[in-house]
Amino acid sequence: MSMLVLGIDTTCDDTSAAVVRSGQTILSNVIASQYAAHEAFGGVVPMIAAREHARQISFVIQAALDKAEVRFSDLDAVAVSCDQGLLLALVVGVSAAKSVALACNIPLIGIHHLEGHICSVLMGEGPGPAFPFLCLTVAGGHTLLVRVEDHGQYEVVGSTRDDAAGEALDKIARRLGLGYPGGAAIERVAANGDATAFALPRPMIRQKTLDFSFSGLKTAVVRVMDEHPDLCVADLCASFQQAVVDTLVIKTMRAARQTSLTRIALAGGVALNSLLRKTFKKAADRAGLQAFLAPRALCADNGAMVAGAGYFLYRERGADPLTIETRANAPLGRLSV
Ligand code: ZN
């Protein structure tokens, strides 16, 4: 069944819309970033995010249609992230999607934002992982290890107990005055540093749990900064980045062993980090597992992954009513350990 799906994402600080054919062929993927609006605050301000989404959303949708060379009347469905994110930000995207569904008389599909990230690993050039697979999805708002049974069927096997990995990177970058977004800034500065310069903890790696905790690592970095006022920032960034990456990879490999899954995937905004991509792949190779990395263009929040996930969910369970709501915190999947 060939289907042209418009995907909309306004979860955090990116206004995005995309047109994707049958969950695979990306005809357009337009992202309007709000970095400039939040930069002065060193992080995302929810009210400003919502206002910026409202300002941008119609232009972004039109740009996605134009770039894909399609009209509203060509669309077969509209998918939108309605779960997981900043509530007021989500409301803008969901309202826009409902309007499109109503005006075009096409099905509306609401997805959990993380379903989009997970789906991104299936949308690369080559073949994606066959089900079931393990997916590490890691970003500013979440750090999650998920057993993906099928489209729409997930079991969360590990998650963060405090800060998300991306959040820890952002906070330390802010503390070091490196600007926002922090992950990219840390990676840039770390390129000239020595990752062995500072001995930082790899939190909770000795415990059997598959959960993460990054707040202790963040505190350890702050302590180093206080103790060494003249430290080499590049060395600290490199050491910190290495500690975050090691922790993520060690836990993923443990989860693969515990769940007996042989295919592991990496998605989310922090999956843009080159050291994480390289280390993830290397560890998988060493353990005889297959690694699948989300394409770089689909790592940050984007509408294409939403259109992709929406297409597959629509095939599984059909359309959602126009009354769907938004939830800032929503569980992913029906199974939970
Ligand atoms: Zn996200």
Side-chain angles (χ1 to χ4, degrees):
M1 168 173 60
S2 172
M3 257 184 101
L4 214 52
V5 180
L6 172 69
I8 297 174
D9 191 275
T10 58
T11 307
C12 188
D13 59 344
D14 289 308
T15 314
S16 181
V19 178
V20 177
R21 190 184 302 283
S22 303
Q24 193 60 50
T25 313
I26 301 170
L27 303 184
S28 65
N29 192 17
V30 177
I31 303 170
S33 157
Q34 303 179 357
Y35 292 153
H38 300 283
E39 201 174 12
F41 303 95
V44 180
V45 184
M47 284 299 282
I48 293 176
R51 194 185 65 199
E52 288 294 306
H53 285 308
R55 199 167 63 81
Q56 301 262 31
I57 188 69
S58 23
F59 304 114
V60 168
I61 291 173
Q62 189 61 57
L65 294 177
D66 290 347
K67 208 150 172 243
E69 297 184 346
V70 301
R71 287 171 302 197
F72 277 105
S73 55
D74 297 321
L75 297 174
D76 295 304
V78 53
V80 63
S81 295
C82 60
D83 281 341
Q84 200 64 37
L86 302 172
L87 196 64
L88 293 174
L90 288 166
V91 165
V92 177
V94 170
S95 304
K98 285 179 179 179
S99 307
V100 172
L102 188 63
C104 302
N105 193 25
I106 53 175
L108 172 73
I109 309 138
I111 73 154
H112 189 292
H113 176 70
L114 296 186
E115 290 189 294
H117 280 302
I118 291 168
C119 190
S120 70
V121 304
L122 301 166
M123 298 175 74
E125 299 262 295
F131 296 110
F133 64 90
L134 179 74
C135 187
L136 170 67
T137 155
V138 53
H142 50 83
T143 303
L144 220 61
L145 273 165
V146 181
R147 180 191 165 95
V148 185
E149 207 57 54
D150 202 340
H151 293 294
Q153 288 185 38
Y154 317 97
E155 180 185 356
V156 176
V157 297
S159 63
T160 183
R161 292 185 180 175
D162 38 61
D163 287 1
E167 193 180 355
L169 288 162
D170 280 343
K171 285 178 179 169
I172 292 300
R174 190 183 327 168
R175 188 87 191 216
L176 288 167
L178 299 179
Y180 173 82
I186 298 256
E187 180 171 11
R188 210 166 40 242
V189 177
N192 301 313
D194 172 8
T196 62
F198 297 100
L200 295 170
R202 272 61 174 158
M204 290 172 70
I205 56 162
R206 278 182 229 297
Q207 297 170 30
K208 241 183 111 196
T209 171
L210 297 175
D211 284 346
F212 302 90
S213 164
F214 287 102
S215 92
L217 173 57
K218 197 183 61 194
T219 310
V221 173
V222 171
R223 197 179 316 123
V224 168
M225 287 165 67
D226 291 342
E227 285 167 6
H228 307 85
D230 298 323
L231 56 74
C232 167
V233 173
D235 285 351
L236 182 63
C237 285
S239 302
F240 175 47
Q241 177 181 245
Q242 189 72 55
V244 171
V245 166
D246 285 351
T247 307
L248 291 170
V249 173
I250 289 168
K251 286 280 180 183
T252 305
M253 300 310 291
R254 178 171 303 161
R257 281 196 300 277
Q258 284 187 19
T259 56
S260 305
L261 291 169
T262 56
R263 292 172 289 272
I264 61 172
L266 175 66
V270 178
L272 279 169
N273 183 283
S274 298
L275 180 70
L276 176 58
R277 292 178 87 84
K278 204 170 71 188
T279 312
F280 192 87
K281 180 91 182 41
K282 233 199 239 164
D285 289 347
R286 247 198 327 264
L289 307 176
Q290 277 182 286
F292 298 86
L293 310 179
R296 282 183 174 276
L298 300 184
C299 284
D301 292 349
N302 66 88
M305 68 184 195
V306 176
Y311 166 77
F312 291 110
L313 283 183
Y314 178 72
R315 290 203 335 181
E316 299 280 321
R317 62 162 203 224
D320 287 316
L322 285 175
T323 50
I324 56 165
E325 295 187 14
T326 49
R327 291 183 294 180
N329 288 298
L332 175 69
R334 299 163 302 164
L335 311 156
S336 190
V337 170

